[in-house]
Amino acid sequence: MNLVPKIPTLEGLDQFHGQVLHSQAFKDPSKFCGKDVLIVGLSNSAADTATQLKGHARNIYVSHRQGALVLPRYSDGRPIDHSLTMRLMMIQGFLNEYFPLVAENAFNKFAKSLQDKNFNIRPEWNLSPAPSLKQSVPIISDELVSGLESGKIRSVPALRRVAGEMTVELTDGTIIAIDCIIWCTGYKGDYGILDGDFDPTRNTSPAWSAAPGSNEKPLPRLYQNLFSLQEPLSLVFLGAAAFPSPAFQLYDLATMAVAQVWRGNSSLPSQEEMERAVDTHHDWVCSLAQRATVYPGIVKPGPWMTWVNDAAGTGVNEMLGYGIAGWTFWWREKGFCEKLMDGICSPHIYRLFDGKRKKWDGAKEAILKANNAIC
């Protein structure tokens, strides 16, 4: 689905005599030895492409119009995703639901403190201010900042136009000579494998198309960013729901939810309610796209996780919640419960409890093993 490269429209591109490619086609950095390369975009793909070109390309320019947070893969000897505990996600979900501005500011402040603890971000790189993590994802890279510090990678303003056969003009008027343009501009959702009647993007909202942050990408009409509104009991789409969290864990939970719906153990709302829910969700997404570039699949983390756990029947909402079942589980398994809430947020948690699906008997052992491995 997310396989079609997003190629921006650039004035004068047909006049450029150098090489032009999307990051999807970037495979071998040695093929750019001695070349001046312009990378367009500021994303994880852009950071990976730029750092791989070090030692090969003569000059590496990263052209971007907005900033970004840069986080290391490890902090204090631990992977940074180990900071995302079940308790933190539950608190974040609660705040997002009832105090959204507080939640947004707290999450952004936490991420920035992690960045500043590990890197000294210089003003001339124009990485700050970074867009809110409510509608963007941070760059995860151990080498981008060191590349900028050494001058092997240069941060430059956004690309305006091709100025000559081997030159481009930036938005500040600077003209630079380059041999190659690499688009690190993401992908468009493509549903072309389907009959057009079932394409969830065929009626993309005009408000979305007009929003500055839509980036010319289609916005699918899907219930919970999963279920087709035409055939919800036989057609779903993975990869159309996202927020700052491990992607494959979300897809795993989504498949559990779909299985229980299609088995009849969980139900969907009426057609009218699903249509209304999608309309409300799209209004929210379009409002975000007025401020910054937004991934069309973005969802609200708290409500979506609550829904998917209920639909999948994982038992997590009940057993790790604050109802009778939750308090009973805590009383019987205090030490283990603390591991679940404040330790590694292992995907085994979603197979620990009996619910609409059978638990996996090895889940507890796997959770303890994962936590013991980092102690």
Side-chain angles (χ1 to χ4, degrees):
M1 184 178 68
N2 294 315
L3 293 176
V4 178
K6 170 69 175 64
I7 306 295
T9 300
L10 178 64
E11 180 186 343
L13 185 59
D14 57 338
Q15 303 171 18
F16 186 62
H17 287 195
Q19 185 180 7
V20 181
L21 68 154
H22 190 271
S23 58
Q24 185 185 60
F26 177 79
K27 306 297 182 183
D28 185 356
S30 67
K31 293 182 178 180
F32 299 84
C33 283
K35 293 185 177 182
D36 299 322
V37 180
L38 179 71
I39 296 169
V40 181
L42 187 60
S43 61
N44 281 288
S45 293
D48 291 343
T49 301
T51 55
Q52 288 180 55
L53 284 170
K54 286 195 304 178
H56 298 284
R58 178 171 52 191
N59 287 299
I60 306 166
Y61 304 98
V62 178
S63 171
H64 55 101
R65 64 167 57 94
Q66 65 182 26
L69 282 171
V70 183
L71 302 179
R73 287 181 170 83
Y74 285 80
S75 182
D76 294 330
R78 295 180 59 179
I80 61 165
D81 58 350
H82 289 182
S83 302
L84 194 63
T85 64
M86 180 65 72
R87 191 184 305 278
L88 183 61
M89 288 197 299
M90 292 176 69
I91 293 172
Q92 185 73 11
F94 173 82
L95 292 175
N96 267 322
E97 183 69 14
Y98 298 103
F99 306 98
L101 289 179
V102 173
E104 182 177 6
N105 291 334
F107 195 31
N108 288 337
K109 185 176 181 180
F110 170 74
K112 189 175 186 304
S113 68
L114 194 58
Q115 171 191 262
D116 295 344
K117 178 181 178 180
N118 290 276
F119 300 124
N120 179 27
I121 304 298
R122 298 179 187 174
E124 60 266 28
W125 299 338
N126 293 315
L127 298 182
S128 299
S132 172
L133 293 180
K134 186 174 183 178
Q135 66 257 3
S136 66
V137 295
I139 292 173
I140 309 298
S141 175
D142 295 318
E143 300 179 20
L144 178 62
V145 171
S146 62
L148 291 165
E149 287 174 335
S150 68
K152 294 179 180 178
I153 299 173
R154 304 183 200 180
S155 171
V156 299
L159 183 58
R160 173 178 289 163
R161 66 184 181 94
V162 170
E165 293 180 353
M166 301 296 286
T167 59
V168 295
E169 180 184 355
L170 307 177
T171 51
D172 66 351
T174 300
I175 303 291
I176 58 174
I178 58 170
D179 300 297
C180 179
I181 297 173
I182 301 179
W183 301 110
C184 291
T185 46
Y187 298 84
K188 289 183 177 180
D190 178 37
Y191 301 85
I193 193 173
L194 296 170
D195 182 289
D197 290 341
F198 299 100
D199 183 344
T201 65
R202 72 191 186 286
N203 293 321
T204 291
S205 164
W208 168 255
S209 299
S214 66
N215 206 18
E216 300 178 5
K217 296 182 178 182
L219 181 65
R221 287 185 61 79
L222 300 169
Y223 179 66
Q224 297 293 349
N225 284 37
L226 277 174
F227 290 89
S228 163
L229 292 179
Q230 284 69 45
E231 297 291 341
L233 297 182
S234 61
L235 181 60
V236 298
F237 300 86
L238 293 182
F243 58 89
S245 181
F248 287 102
Q249 183 168 298
L250 299 188
Y251 303 157
D252 185 35
L253 275 169
T255 59
M256 292 186 206
V258 170
Q260 296 305 320
V261 169
W262 285 0
R263 288 186 66 187
N265 292 336
S266 295
S267 60
L268 295 174
S270 69
Q271 186 70 30
E272 287 185 358
E273 289 177 290
M274 288 195 292
E275 294 277 2
R276 191 160 49 246
V278 172
D279 289 340
T280 300
H281 176 68
H282 279 197
D283 288 344
W284 175 73
V285 175
C286 289
S287 71
L288 296 181
Q290 296 298 324
R291 294 185 284 163
T293 300
V294 173
Y295 177 64
I298 190 170
V299 296
K300 293 183 178 181
W304 194 87
M305 286 296 288
T306 298
W307 171 83
V308 80
N309 274 293
D310 278 341
T314 63
V316 166
N317 289 340
E318 297 79 18
M319 302 303 288
L320 297 183
Y322 293 95
I324 294 176
W327 284 113
T328 301
F329 175 69
W330 172 80
W331 181 256
R332 292 175 178 173
E333 298 268 8
K334 291 181 183 178
F336 182 51
C337 190
E338 293 300 314
K339 290 281 188 186
L340 294 176
M341 297 299 292
D342 299 313
I344 294 177
C345 190
S346 163
H348 305 106
I349 292 173
Y350 302 105
R351 288 172 166 78
L352 178 64
F353 305 110
D354 273 323
K356 295 176 183 176
R357 56 180 307 284
K358 288 184 62 176
K359 69 178 182 180
W360 175 46
D361 291 336
K364 182 174 182 179
E365 181 182 353
I367 291 166
L368 292 173
K369 183 178 180 180
N371 279 275
N372 292 336
I374 66 166
C375 294

